[in-house]
């Protein structure tokens, strides 16, 4: 078989296999198993060694075992819901086969009286008698049974027998693919081929052999396929030649000198990287990643200022109106008065919107702020040179690609995120972009002191809040929603609001899921303007909003949340120059893991360290917002356990890019791992 038709077999429909009908295919599709390749990653969770058959007297309760017996008597009760039983014996004792929801005819067929039958299943004990409920395997031909047999976590409606039949057929027909890796990479995995790796992966005795060469090789394939696609997107974006921007350093430095704070080393380094991209002839596609409160916004605005001074327009987009308005207000404050700065809001009246749109189209507006509404079809720019998007981790690779295309050739793109994520994740999730990182916090920012308090000590917390209010400070009180019990949480926030209102009359306001957007904006603006002192909220208060006067945050049910979420919430305070406090409240009896999480947070204010620890404890799937990032599609690779493979993939990718190597040999890899939707034209 030619290599192309080889991988086509792997991507073909499961109905090409014997004994697989449309009903089975439908059930597998529900589990996102759409072709032969997908089912290869449905790995056995355990196996039954039927090569060893026990006698009844030696059976071990709670274990899967195989035994040869003779059925002696049927007991089919006439009462509904009672199980059917078959009494069986061997020369050492008696055992009952118990069936729930099985017809008498079927039972008589598989367990005929007086015949020697080999059965297998989990051994139980009931009223001093051994029993097997719904035996797994029943056969008169004991030679068929005596083998190792994989146990899969079954898709509802598909029996183990069908699964094993599908897998063994695929393994038998498994094509030999041309090798795509270099000799140096293969050496790291003892030169094992893709074909042999798959065969090893499905051997019963290799369950959970994560460290073995076959497993590592397949995990590497998966990681590397992502790196290939990211590299290809980067190459395509860089291929578009653009009109380079001319940076006016005199104007830039004069703006920096007028700020009432000094930029950190990380901020200056990031600004230099962005300026380099703006002034090059290749399109910028860069992510500015920084911890909460590290000062990303000011760097993005300086980049905008440099772009405007080079004769271009800038669009700044944020996920919420209040955050977009905050950026707009900061720009108004620091930019010279001669710049035309506008804000597009869902609330803007028709005439105002029409005027802004008209002015954008004739380059009368230099910079516009707003939510995603900025990119509606009817919004056209005369000379758009830079798009800045805040909190972009809600965008997948596909959306980012579209965005890059929409801006046109001369438009650079800067994305920002306050979600610090470990390097292995960054390489994968944001691998299509160049990266600037701001780790250090501005010197004015004091670290947030974190305490944990048991719920029953709420009186101590109230006492502390009273003191803070006397000092003129404001407080966030967060009752976060726990998915399973929205109703209870909703009412608990209302209860907390009622409780605090009695102690602090006219000083408390409430935000919850049912608050309308307009009302929410009004409440947040009133809080920003210090009209009340305590904001009780069920919703996660938007990342990035500055409430300089709020310096205390109390988080209830803190033990229910991941470290990254708690760290993001904690970042709502400490935005001014005052010392800030975060109090994590919990109900009694914390689990070991919860204690570990709370202690990490108490010791650490660095979001990158926090997220690394979070990933170790909870796995990467739960880190803020990354459920929808595409990395969840990894079947074998894990950013914690396979850190070395990510580094190897990065090294190999850099080598290929540097030597300008043709990546055509990787086509099957990209096809197989379904990473091609983004770059269809390379495969």
């Amino acid at each position: 078989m030619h290599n192309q038709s080889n991988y086509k077999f792997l991507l073909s429909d499961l109905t090409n296999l014997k004994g697989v009908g449309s009903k089975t295919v439908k059930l597998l599709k529900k589990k996102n198993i759409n072709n032969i390749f997908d089912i290869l990653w449905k790995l056995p969770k355990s196996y039954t060694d039927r090569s060893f058959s026990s006698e009844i007297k030696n059976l071990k309760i709670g274990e899967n075992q195989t035994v040869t017996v003779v059925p002696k008597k049927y007991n089919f009760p006439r009462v509904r819901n009672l199980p059917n039983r078959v009494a069986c014996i061997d020369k050492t004792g008696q055992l009952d086969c118990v069936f729930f929801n099985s017809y008498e005819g079927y039972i008589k067929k598989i367990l005929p009286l007086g015949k020697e039958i080999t059965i297998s299943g989990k051994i139980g004990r009931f009223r001093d008698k051994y029993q097997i409920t719904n035996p797994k395997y029943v056969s008169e031909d004991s030679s068929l049974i005596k083998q190792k047999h994989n146990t899969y976590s079954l898709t509802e409606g598909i029996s183990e027998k069908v699964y094993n039949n599908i897998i063994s057929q695929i393994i038998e027909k498994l094509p030999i693919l041309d090798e795509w890796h270099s000799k140096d990479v293969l050496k790291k995995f003892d030169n094992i081929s893709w074909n042999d790796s798959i065969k090893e992966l499905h051997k019963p005795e290799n369950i959970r052999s994560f460290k073995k060469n076959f497993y590592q090789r397949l995990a590497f394939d998966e990681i590397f396929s992502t790196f290939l696609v990211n590299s290809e997107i980067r190459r395509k974006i860089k291929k578009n030649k653009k009109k380079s921007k001319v940076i006016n350093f005199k104007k830039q430095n004069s703006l920096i000198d007028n700020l009432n704070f000094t930029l950190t080393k990380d901020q200056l380094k990031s600004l230099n990287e962005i300026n380099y991209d703006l002034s090059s002839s290749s399109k910028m596609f860069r992510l500015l990643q920084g911890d909460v409160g590290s000062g990303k916004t000011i760097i993005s605005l300086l980049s905008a200022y440099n772009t405007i001074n080079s004769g271009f327009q800038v669009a700044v987009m944020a996920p919420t109106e209040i955050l977009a308005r905050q950026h707009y207000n900061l720009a108004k404050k620091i930019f010279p008065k001669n710049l035309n700065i506008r804000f597009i809001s869902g609330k803007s009246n028709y005439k105002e919107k029409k005027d802004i749109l008209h002015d954008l189209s004739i380059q009368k507006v230099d910079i516009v702020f707003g939510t995603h509404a900025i990119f509606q079809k009817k919004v056209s720019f005369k000379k758009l040179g830079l798009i800045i998007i805040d909190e972009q981790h809600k965008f997948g690779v596909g959306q980012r690609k579209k965005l890059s295309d929409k801006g046109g050739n001369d438009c650079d793109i800067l994305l920002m995120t306050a979600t610090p994520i470990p390097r292995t994740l960054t390489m994968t999730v944001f691998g299509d972009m160049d990266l600037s990182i701001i780790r250090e916090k501005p010197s004015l920012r004091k670290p947030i002191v974190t305490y944990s308090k048991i719920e029953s000590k709420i009186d101590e917390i109230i006492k502390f809040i009273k003191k803070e209010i006397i000092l003129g400070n404001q407080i966030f009180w967060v009752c976060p929603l726990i998915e399973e019990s929205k109703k209870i949480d909703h009412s608990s926030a209302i209860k907390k609001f009622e409780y605090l209102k009695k102690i602090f009359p006219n000083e408390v306001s409430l935000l919850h899921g049912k608050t309308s957007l307009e009302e929410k904006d009004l409440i947040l603006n009133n809080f920003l303007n210090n009209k009340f002192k305590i904001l009780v909220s069920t919703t996660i208060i938007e990342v990035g909003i500055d409430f300089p006067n709020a310096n205390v945050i109390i988080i209830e049910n803190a033990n229910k949340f991941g470290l990254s979420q708690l760290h993001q919430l904690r970042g709502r305070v400490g935005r001014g120059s005052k010392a800030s406090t975060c109090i994590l409240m919990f109900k009694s009896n914390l689990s070991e893991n919860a204690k570990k999480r709370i202690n990490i947070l108490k010791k650490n204010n660095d979001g990158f360290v926090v997220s690394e620890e979070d990933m170790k404890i909870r796995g990467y799937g739960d880190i803020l917002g990354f459920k929808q990032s595409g990395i969840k599609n990894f079947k074998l690779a894990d950013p914690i356990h396979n850190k070395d493979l990510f580094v190897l993939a990065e090294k190999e990718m850099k080598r290929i890019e540097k030597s300008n190597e043709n990546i055509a040999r990787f086509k099957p890899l990209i096809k197989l791992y379904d990473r091609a939707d983004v770059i269809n034209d390379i495969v």
Side-chain angles (χ1 to χ4, degrees):
M1 261 201 286
H2 176 256
N3 201 38
Q4 182 149 329
S5 47
N6 280 355
Y7 72 77
K8 282 198 170 150
F9 162 75
L10 290 167
L11 294 174
S12 65
D13 203 278
L14 288 150
T15 47
N16 289 338
L17 302 171
K18 271 185 202 152
V20 181
S22 57
K23 190 181 160 207
T24 305
V25 166
K26 222 181 200 166
L27 292 166
L28 288 168
K29 280 195 170 156
K30 271 189 191 163
K31 290 278 180 191
N32 227 355
I33 295 171
N34 299 307
N35 55 34
I36 285 171
F37 184 76
D38 287 344
I39 209 160
L40 286 175
W41 313 109
K42 182 85 184 161
L43 299 182
K45 63 177 172 51
S46 62
Y47 73 90
T48 310
D49 188 351
R50 300 201 170 98
S51 56
F52 181 73
S53 187
S54 297
E55 293 181 320
I56 290 176
K57 67 166 188 192
N58 297 326
L59 291 174
K60 292 186 183 125
I61 293 162
E63 289 190 13
N64 273 312
Q65 290 192 278
T66 301
V67 59
T68 301
V69 293
V70 176
K72 276 293 175 204
K73 188 184 172 201
Y74 300 128
N75 177 8
F76 300 142
R78 293 287 156 244
V79 184
R80 273 188 74 176
N81 297 334
L82 281 181
N84 291 323
R85 288 176 179 274
V86 183
C88 304
I89 57 163
D90 73 0
K91 60 178 187 294
T92 68
Q94 191 178 335
L95 167 133
D96 278 0
C97 287
V98 183
F99 293 88
F100 287 88
N101 310 322
S102 287
Y103 300 114
E104 292 174 20
Y106 167 74
I107 294 169
K108 284 178 174 170
K109 190 178 160 193
I110 61 166
L111 289 178
L113 298 181
K115 285 254 178 82
E116 201 170 73
I117 304 286
T118 305
I119 59 170
S120 187
K122 198 171 190 175
I123 308 300
R125 190 99 173 140
F126 183 67
R127 291 187 181 154
D128 278 343
K129 209 187 280 177
Y130 288 112
Q131 67 173 30
I132 295 182
T133 305
N134 297 337
K136 279 274 162 65
Y137 222 95
V138 183
S139 174
E140 286 179 55
D141 180 356
S142 59
S143 67
L144 284 177
I145 297 298
K146 294 187 177 180
Q147 53 183 284
K148 288 179 181 175
H149 181 82
N150 281 344
T151 308
Y152 292 88
S153 107
L154 296 176
T155 301
E156 215 174 307
I158 300 178
S159 71
E160 204 168 273
K161 219 171 180 179
V162 170
Y163 252 121
N164 273 284
N165 164 40
I166 292 174
I167 298 284
S168 52
Q169 273 191 74
I170 296 173
I171 300 292
E172 214 174 289
K173 293 180 177 181
L174 204 62
I176 294 170
L177 301 174
D178 291 349
E179 186 52 71
W180 41 70
H181 291 307
S182 68
K183 284 188 174 126
D184 287 345
V185 166
L186 272 181
K187 229 184 269 172
K188 302 247 189 305
F189 308 111
D190 305 326
N191 297 312
I192 191 165
S193 69
W194 183 86
N195 180 290
D196 288 342
S197 299
I198 293 284
K199 286 177 176 168
E200 289 294 321
L201 188 69
H202 282 273
K203 281 185 181 165
E205 61 272 26
N206 281 335
I207 286 164
R208 284 183 274 284
S209 299
F210 306 130
K211 294 283 173 215
K212 296 259 180 83
N213 64 336
F214 64 86
Y215 195 99
Q216 295 275 306
R217 188 235 142 103
L218 292 170
F220 181 75
D221 279 336
E222 200 168 23
I223 296 163
F224 197 62
S225 71
T226 312
F227 276 60
L228 277 164
V229 170
N230 285 335
S231 164
E232 196 53 27
I233 295 171
R234 270 200 315 270
R235 192 182 66 78
K236 286 193 155 179
I237 287 167
K238 299 278 181 230
K239 214 168 66 180
N240 295 330
K241 291 298 163 217
K242 65 158 210 242
K243 204 169 163 190
S244 53
K245 280 129 191 134
V246 181
I247 310 289
N248 185 326
F249 287 102
K250 198 175 166 199
K251 284 188 174 179
Q252 173 197 284
N253 296 338
S254 143
L255 189 68
I256 292 173
D257 293 342
N258 284 332
L259 297 172
N260 57 358
F261 53 85
T262 313
L263 295 180
T264 64
K265 274 200 220 75
D266 278 0
Q267 283 176 309
L268 289 168
K269 183 173 177 275
S270 297
L271 182 59
N272 288 336
E273 288 165 348
I274 293 165
N275 281 341
Y276 177 81
D277 284 357
L278 292 174
S279 53
S280 86
S281 60
S282 291
K283 191 165 172 158
M284 172 169 81
F285 198 40
R286 184 171 286 278
L287 176 74
L288 180 59
Q289 187 187 19
D291 200 353
V292 277
S294 61
K296 292 177 300 300
T297 311
I298 192 71
I299 298 307
S300 70
L301 289 181
L302 284 164
S303 316
Y305 186 55
N306 286 337
T307 303
I308 295 164
N309 288 330
S310 188
F312 289 89
Q313 293 170 291
V314 177
V316 181
M317 184 171 120
T320 60
E321 218 160 89
I322 188 162
L323 188 52
R325 194 173 283 282
Q326 182 181 288
H327 294 338
Y328 166 72
N329 290 336
L330 180 59
K332 294 276 279 189
K333 192 173 143 190
I334 66 166
F335 285 170
K337 299 289 166 267
N338 62 339
L339 289 193
N340 191 343
I341 306 167
R342 300 303 293 268
F343 181 81
I344 290 186
S345 153
K347 297 186 197 83
S348 311
N349 64 46
Y350 177 73
K351 186 180 180 318
E352 190 187 351
K353 244 185 208 163
K354 203 176 160 192
D355 289 348
I356 295 175
L357 294 180
H358 173 260
D359 290 352
L360 276 171
S361 69
I362 58 167
Q363 209 180 341
K364 229 176 153 184
V365 172
D366 295 305
I367 179 167
V368 64
F369 292 83
T371 57
H372 59 273
I374 293 178
F375 289 109
Q376 284 168 351
K377 275 194 182 118
K378 58 183 178 217
V379 183
S380 66
F381 296 80
K382 180 153 194 247
K383 204 176 173 190
L384 185 60
L386 175 64
I387 295 172
I388 298 171
I389 293 191
D390 197 4
E391 272 325 301
Q392 79 80 49
H393 70 261
K394 298 173 177 69
F395 280 77
V397 175
Q399 287 156 305
R400 296 203 288 262
K401 181 84 176 61
K402 274 186 198 135
L403 182 71
S404 166
D405 297 340
K406 186 174 174 71
N409 264 1
D410 288 335
C411 182
D412 290 304
I413 292 183
L414 179 66
L415 306 178
M416 298 195 285
T417 180
T419 309
I421 59 166
R423 191 162 166 267
T424 45
L425 274 185
T426 309
M427 285 152 81
T428 318
V429 180
F430 299 125
D432 52 326
M433 304 159 74
D434 294 311
L435 186 65
S436 292
I437 296 178
I438 305 180
R439 284 187 88 118
E440 59 181 319
K441 306 271 170 73
S443 53
L444 281 175
R445 295 254 158 104
K446 294 191 169 69
I448 303 161
V449 182
T450 305
Y451 300 101
S452 54
K453 276 275 178 219
I454 193 158
E455 235 175 43
S456 53
K457 294 194 172 170
I458 193 163
D459 292 351
E460 292 177 21
I461 296 172
I462 297 294
K463 215 159 127 187
F464 174 73
I465 286 176
K466 281 180 177 166
K467 273 190 203 156
E468 290 294 323
I469 289 176
I470 290 165
L471 292 169
N473 298 326
Q474 287 174 290
I475 291 96
F476 285 116
W477 193 302
V478 187
C479 307
L481 283 179
I482 301 161
E483 285 309 314
E484 306 89 79
S485 52
K486 285 198 169 167
K487 281 195 183 82
I488 303 165
D489 286 316
H490 192 91
S491 63
S492 79
I494 294 166
K495 267 189 208 142
K496 191 63 70 196
F497 168 66
E498 300 294 344
Y499 166 80
L500 291 168
K501 215 166 61 170
K502 283 181 187 133
I503 307 170
F504 304 96
N506 307 318
E507 294 289 14
V508 192
S509 198
L510 171 70
L511 260 192
H512 53 67
K514 293 202 166 63
T515 313
S516 73
L517 273 177
E518 277 170 42
E519 209 183 332
K520 184 180 175 183
D521 274 357
L522 182 70
I523 291 168
L524 287 173
N525 275 318
N526 285 343
F527 190 54
L528 196 59
N529 297 320
N530 213 345
K531 300 239 175 97
F532 59 90
K533 296 295 179 191
I534 302 171
L535 177 62
V536 178
S537 163
T538 57
T539 50
I540 302 291
I541 307 129
E542 270 82 7
V543 166
I545 303 176
D546 273 332
F547 294 91
N549 209 41
N551 71 329
V552 177
I553 185 163
I554 290 141
I555 305 167
E556 292 198 22
N557 281 318
N559 48 306
K560 298 277 185 198
F561 294 89
L563 278 169
S564 297
Q565 277 169 306
L566 290 172
H567 177 71
Q568 290 281 325
L569 272 173
R570 173 170 70 175
R572 295 313 93 234
V573 297
R575 317 290 284 194
S577 52
K578 296 176 181 174
S580 296
T581 310
C582 169
I583 299 171
L584 304 171
M585 283 174 76
F586 58 90
K587 293 180 167 65
S588 53
N589 304 331
L590 281 183
S591 69
E592 280 312 304
N593 251 355
K595 277 182 199 160
K596 212 193 266 180
R597 286 213 296 270
I598 283 172
N599 283 330
I600 288 164
L601 219 57
K602 281 157 89 167
K603 286 182 203 149
N604 249 301
N605 265 297
D606 182 334
F608 289 92
V609 175
V610 166
S611 70
E612 191 84 46
E613 292 300 326
D614 196 15
M615 196 159 82
K616 282 178 197 163
I617 294 171
R618 301 194 305 160
Y620 64 85
D622 288 328
I623 289 204
L624 265 192
F626 288 96
K627 284 207 160 150
Q628 68 270 45
S629 66
I631 192 167
K632 68 181 188 309
N633 296 334
F634 277 177
K635 315 276 196 307
L636 304 181
D638 181 284
I640 307 159
H641 301 114
N642 303 128
K643 209 171 177 174
D644 54 333
L645 297 181
F646 281 84
V647 174
L648 176 64
E650 184 184 41
K651 208 169 133 193
E652 177 65 357
M653 200 66 252
K654 279 184 178 156
R655 183 193 68 73
I656 290 170
E657 286 172 346
K658 207 173 169 187
S659 60
N660 229 335
E661 209 173 286
N662 185 352
I663 65 161
R665 72 171 194 272
F666 294 110
K667 283 181 182 181
L669 180 65
I670 294 170
K671 273 278 191 207
L672 289 176
Y673 285 93
D674 195 24
R675 313 267 187 229
D677 52 337
V678 186
I679 46 165
N680 275 324
D681 44 341
I682 77 147
V683 269

